[in-house]
Amino acid sequence: MRHVIWPATGSIMRRLDDGKTAPDGKPGNMYGYLGATDAERAKNLRAIKSWLGDGAWNLNRWSTRGNAPGITKEQLDKVKAKF
C-alpha cells in the first residue's frame, strides 16, 4: 500500500495505468506486464481497480508536481483496500 497511499502515492497506478486517465494518454511502463493480450491486460487492470475501490484509481502524487496536483483527502478516502 505504500505505492498507493504514502509515501509513493499513486506510483503503482501510474505504472499500471492503461493511458486512458493519463494526461499524455500513454500507458504506464508496467501496463504490458498485466497480461499477454489486450483483453487479459484490461481484465487484470479492472481487478486491481476493483480491489482499490470505486473511484480510487488516481495518478496524483502525495504533493503537487509540475502540473499535477497533490492527492486530496477525498481521493484517498475512496481507497477501500485494507492498509
Side-chain angles (χ1 to χ4, degrees):
M1 291 306 292
R2 63 178 277 123
H3 295 285
V4 174
I5 304 294
W6 184 86
T9 309
S11 67
I12 196 73
M13 283 87 96
R14 288 188 298 278
R15 285 176 170 67
L16 294 177
D17 194 65
D18 58 8
K20 293 178 183 172
T21 57
D24 60 6
K26 293 181 183 178
N29 63 350
M30 299 297 288
Y31 176 69
Y33 295 101
L34 285 175
T37 65
D38 286 338
E40 187 178 10
R41 285 188 288 275
K43 177 185 169 201
N44 291 333
L45 185 60
R46 279 192 306 274
I48 294 168
K49 286 181 176 184
S50 174
W51 170 71
L52 286 174
D54 189 36
W57 193 257
N58 195 297
L59 307 182
N60 293 7
R61 291 173 167 83
W62 188 254
S63 55
T64 301
R65 186 173 191 183
N67 293 332
I71 198 160
T72 66
K73 180 173 181 345
E74 291 77 22
Q75 290 168 319
L76 287 173
D77 286 343
K78 292 181 180 181
V79 176
K80 299 304 177 200
K82 301 295 180 200
F83 58 94

